Amino acid sequence: MTIQSPLLTNISSTKKRLEQAPHDFLLRQELVNLLIQSTDMQQALDVILKAYDLHGRDDAVLLLHIKWLMLCGQLQEAKSLFISLPDHCFQNPNTLFNYAFCLDQLRQTRSAISVLQKHMQLTGTFSKC
């Protein structure tokens, strides 16, 4: 008999539910988050790539991929995806903050400030930003 951690149990359960509903993006997102939490970054990427197959370049898929890229330290690639997002995505303060953070980490502080100023003017002020 093996003892399985709750995280591994959750991953296994989520995989099974996703097999039954492969087009359920929220389940796919949950699985990616669990895999990231377990530090299985390759399997998380595989789930993201499958999301592209099923959902195309949907904003939610791009944001999930950006999260993965940033956690893996692939900031230049994350920046490329941030650039491809439509403006309405930056109404979310977390997305705006993460984009500015990404630019700042790439030593593009002026660009980060410019992005914050542009989007904060459009959507009001965000204390996090």
Side-chain angles (χ1 to χ4, degrees):
M1 178 170 87
T2 61
I3 298 174
Q4 201 170 23
S5 78
L7 179 57
L8 293 178
T9 301
N10 285 341
I11 289 170
S12 178
S13 169
T14 305
K15 282 181 179 179
K16 287 177 185 173
R17 290 185 303 155
L18 191 57
E19 286 173 6
Q20 295 171 354
H23 292 280
D24 186 334
F25 181 76
L26 293 178
L27 273 178
R28 188 164 304 281
Q29 187 176 34
E30 179 182 339
L31 180 57
V32 168
N33 289 329
L34 289 169
L35 291 167
I36 287 171
Q37 194 176 348
S38 75
T39 68
D40 190 343
M41 300 307 273
Q42 183 55 54
Q43 195 172 8
L45 177 60
D46 293 343
V47 174
I48 293 167
L49 295 176
K50 183 65 176 177
Y52 278 113
D53 290 344
L54 295 171
H55 305 284
R57 289 182 57 88
D58 183 80
D59 298 346
V61 176
L62 291 172
L63 289 167
L64 190 59
H65 193 186
I66 287 168
K67 176 181 181 174
W68 183 90
L69 288 167
M70 290 188 66
L71 289 170
C72 290
Q74 297 180 26
L75 299 176
Q76 194 60 47
E77 293 85 353
K79 176 187 169 190
S80 296
L81 289 183
F82 272 120
I83 290 170
S84 72
L85 289 173
D87 278 348
H88 72 84
C89 289
F90 297 105
Q91 291 177 359
N92 180 322
N94 290 322
T95 302
L96 181 56
F97 175 81
N98 288 331
Y99 185 26
F101 178 80
C102 179
L103 291 170
D104 188 54
Q105 292 298 298
L106 290 169
R107 301 187 194 285
Q108 298 175 12
T109 305
R110 287 189 178 154
S111 295
I113 292 169
S114 176
V115 162
L116 287 172
Q117 288 174 333
K118 173 188 174 189
H119 291 287
M120 286 173 67
Q121 288 175 359
L122 296 174
T123 60
T125 59
F126 299 127
S127 60
K128 184 174 185 176
C129 297

